[in-house]
């Protein structure tokens, strides 16, 4: 608890980055409900998205305890410029190959991040991160299966996957963009290493699989310093959809 | 995600809360009666099981001033949580004191928290209990010749299977 008292702003920055990531990818991939390539994937993407939105809700809830705020307001009442998700997630769901590529890059990065906060100094976050990690194992297994399937199918599936990984590549590492007072987070034991170190761990986990499948490995991160602060205009469109119901009748109870 | 705030209130991880190692507190007799009442609250998505058999009741605290029940979500985003909270509060209303139902992650819900009675109830409803990969058995004919159609099923906590023995589809609770 002393960690919180000492550096609530740094902890809030970490929570916000995690919550926004889960919120944005959960909302974005939920667009597949009903239109995924096969029925099982309609269900799978809906279930995955429901998990992510649940994680986001719980993380916003923790953030609300720090900022004396309200989780719904954190999720719905901020403008698009105030979101701190990784720029990787500004790329829309695109086609199925793009969705799989984006989810593969994100889920593997999220797993590394969860491990890095999982033994941290603030029990509410470590407890939640441990629980989230148990659910995310299913996500990683699922997306790895699809990555392999698309990569091993000759022709269009593979071509689309390569194109998607190539397009996402420069933004792939933005999950590990710098956080506010990151040195403080590490010093207080909320994060077991700086984000650059986590990125190295992540690359070591994904590169053998990608190379083994003959797929492109993400290049160094483009504009790393603004990974979470400068967003693509495409996000404004998604934000508009996410918040449209809330904005249609501010203050209403649904 | 509900926008009313109750769902997001999973916030609960209440930063200031301290949790005693015991699972009960307060008046022992009252706590026992509360627990007995909870055994009659069905899980809304798996109504063959009570919340007790499902293993989501973490802690019960009961005194003359009020009752508090801490529950462990099976999955963090489980949309049934609000219903579970309301069902528990409704069932405990007979005790005539304030009831608080809180969500906690202080320990993770794991599939091995399901009671023996709960496992049997699941099988009787055609749902295979959680099992390690490759060890799932058909709840209808007990065959091990089963294939997973999809890890993701109609609720966050269930997967889809097919039995090659009796040629029936079935669901299995995810192992977490």
């Amino acid at each position: 608890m002393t960690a919180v008292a000492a550096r609530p702003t740094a902890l809030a920055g970490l929570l916000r980055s995690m919550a926004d990531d889960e919120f944005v990818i959960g909302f974005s991939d939920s667009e597949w409900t009903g239109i995924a390539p096969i029925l099982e994937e309609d269900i799978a993407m809906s279930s995955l998205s429901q998990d992510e939105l649940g994680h986001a809700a719980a993380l916003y809830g923790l953030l609300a305890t720090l900022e004396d705020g309200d989780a719904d307001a954190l999720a719905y009442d901020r403008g698009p410029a105030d979101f701190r998700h990784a720029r990787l997630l500004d790329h829309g769901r695109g086609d199925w190959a793009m969705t799989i590529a984006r989810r593969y890059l994100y889920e593997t990065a999220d797993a590394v991040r969860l491990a890095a906060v999982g033994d941290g100094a603030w029990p509410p976050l470590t407890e939640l991160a441990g629980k989230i990690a148990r659910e995310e194992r299913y996500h990683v297994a699922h997306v790895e299966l699809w990555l392999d399937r698309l990569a091993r199918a000759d022709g269009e599936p593979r071509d689309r996957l390569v194109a998607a990984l190539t397009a996402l590549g420069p933004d792939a590492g933005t999950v590990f963009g710098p956080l506010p007072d990151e040195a403080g987070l590490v010093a207080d034991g909320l994060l077991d290493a700086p984000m650059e170190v986590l990125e190295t761990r992540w690359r070591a986990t994904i590169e053998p699989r990608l190379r083994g499948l003959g797929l492109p490995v993400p290049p160094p991160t483009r504009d790393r310093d603004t990974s979470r602060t400068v967003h693509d205009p495409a996000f404004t469109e998604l934000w508009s959809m996410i918040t449209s119901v809330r904005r249609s009748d501010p203050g209403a109870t649904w | 995600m509900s926008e009313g705030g109750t769902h997001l209130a999973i916030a609960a991880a209440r930063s200031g809360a301290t949790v005693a190692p015991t699972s009960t507190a307060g008046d022992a007799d009252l706590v026992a009666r509360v627990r007995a009442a909870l055994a009659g609250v069905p899980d809304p998505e798996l109504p063959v099981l009570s919340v007790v058999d499902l293993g989501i009741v973490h802690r019960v605290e009961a005194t003359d001033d009020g009752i508090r029940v801490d529950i462990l979500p099976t999955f963090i985003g489980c949309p049934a949580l609000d219903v579970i909270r309301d069902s528990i509060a409704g069932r405990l209303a007979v005790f005539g004191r304030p009831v608080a139902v809180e969500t906690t992650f202080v320990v993770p819900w794991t599939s091995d928290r399901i009671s023996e009675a709960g496992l049997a109830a699941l099988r009787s409803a055609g749902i295979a209990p959680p099992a390690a990969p490759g060890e799932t058995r058909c709840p209808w004919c007990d065959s091990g010749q089963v294939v997973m159609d999809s890890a993701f099923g109609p609720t966050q906590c269930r997967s889809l299977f097919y039995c090659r023995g009796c040629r029936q589809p079935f669901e299995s609770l995810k192992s977490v």
Side-chain angles (χ1 to χ4, degrees):
Chain A
M1 299 302 152
T2 50
V4 176
R7 257 183 272 255
T9 315
L11 177 57
L14 172 65
L15 289 171
R16 190 186 304 274
S17 67
M18 295 173 72
D20 284 354
D21 282 352
E22 296 281 292
F23 189 55
V24 171
I25 195 167
F27 224 106
S28 177
D29 274 348
S30 74
E31 292 176 358
W32 283 108
T33 302
I35 55 167
I38 53 174
L39 176 62
E40 285 78 0
E41 285 308 311
D42 281 358
I43 298 168
M45 292 309 281
S46 305
S47 188
L48 288 162
S49 299
Q50 198 177 14
D51 285 346
E52 309 292 25
L53 292 175
H55 302 166
L59 289 161
Y60 284 136
L62 286 187
L63 184 54
T65 64
L66 286 185
E67 300 192 334
D68 200 21
D70 169 69
D72 282 331
L74 284 165
Y76 295 110
D77 293 345
R78 283 178 296 156
D82 293 330
F83 273 76
R84 290 292 174 268
H85 58 281
R87 194 164 52 239
L88 169 65
L89 307 178
D90 284 346
H91 295 266
R93 65 178 169 80
D95 62 11
W96 186 245
M98 177 63 99
T99 286
I100 295 305
R102 180 175 74 156
R103 188 164 270 284
Y104 174 71
L105 296 168
Y106 175 70
E107 295 285 16
T108 49
D110 187 36
V112 169
R113 177 174 57 185
L114 285 168
V117 301
D119 200 20
W122 195 51
L125 177 56
T126 55
E127 289 159 8
L128 180 59
K131 178 68 179 163
I132 291 176
R134 284 172 180 273
E135 298 181 12
E136 295 284 359
R137 280 181 304 157
Y138 281 92
H139 298 198
V140 174
H142 184 70
V143 78
E144 284 180 348
L145 189 115
W146 269 104
L147 189 85
D148 288 2
R149 183 182 283 184
L150 295 179
R152 293 196 167 116
D154 280 338
E156 192 172 346
R158 183 184 173 85
D159 293 346
R160 286 186 181 228
L161 181 63
V162 170
L165 285 167
T166 305
L168 296 175
D171 287 331
T174 55
V175 177
F176 300 104
L179 292 173
D181 195 7
E182 196 177 304
L185 289 171
V186 176
D188 283 353
L190 293 163
L191 200 59
D192 80 354
M195 281 295 181
E196 274 184 307
V197 174
L198 302 191
E199 179 170 350
T200 307
R201 288 180 196 162
W202 167 69
R203 289 183 184 272
T205 67
I206 62 165
E207 288 182 1
R209 178 179 289 266
L210 291 171
R211 289 215 171 88
L213 293 167
L215 295 171
V217 167
T221 308
R222 171 173 56 198
D223 299 330
R224 182 176 180 274
D225 286 349
T226 59
S227 290
R228 293 182 175 276
T229 49
V230 175
H231 289 293
D232 189 278
F235 173 65
T236 304
E237 196 181 325
L238 180 65
W239 171 87
S240 166
M241 235 183 307
I242 290 173
T243 56
S244 61
V245 175
R246 175 90 163 186
R247 285 182 291 115
S248 71
D249 191 354
T253 299
W254 298 89
Chain B
M1 184 180 327
S2 109
E3 298 197 63
T6 46
H7 185 174
L8 287 181
I10 344 193
R14 304 157 320 257
S15 48
T18 53
V19 178
T22 53
S23 61
T24 59
D27 176 335
D29 175 58
L30 180 59
V31 167
R33 284 188 289 133
V34 169
R35 284 195 164 267
L38 290 173
V41 177
D43 176 82
E45 286 180 346
L46 297 164
V48 291
L49 268 78
S50 75
V51 291
V52 173
D53 281 330
L54 187 57
I56 64 172
V57 176
H58 172 62
R59 176 180 158 89
V60 175
E61 201 177 293
T63 66
D64 288 344
D65 296 330
I67 299 170
R68 174 172 157 160
V69 180
D70 285 358
I71 57 172
L72 306 169
T74 55
F75 275 67
I76 297 165
C78 177
L81 278 174
D82 285 344
V83 178
I84 293 172
R85 259 192 284 268
D86 289 350
S87 310
I88 290 176
R91 178 61 64 113
L92 300 183
V94 294
F95 290 95
R97 59 203 83 191
V99 175
V101 184
E102 302 282 354
T103 309
T104 181
F105 300 109
V106 68
V107 295
W109 178 85
T110 51
S111 18
D112 56 11
R113 294 181 62 95
I114 303 173
S115 70
E116 282 300 321
L119 295 174
L122 276 177
R123 279 190 208 96
S124 71
I127 298 173
E135 291 180 15
T136 300
R137 302 193 76 86
C138 174
W140 305 117
C141 73
D142 201 39
S143 168
Q145 299 295 307
V146 303
V147 287
M148 184 193 277
D149 280 338
S150 175
F152 302 93
T155 71
Q156 283 170 298
C157 56
R158 279 137 78 179
S159 302
L160 303 177
F161 279 79
Y162 180 74
C163 176
R164 292 195 165 130
C166 65
R167 300 183 184 179
Q168 294 294 311
F170 67 93
E171 291 173 14
S172 170
L173 226 56
K174 278 184 193 164
S175 177
V176 292

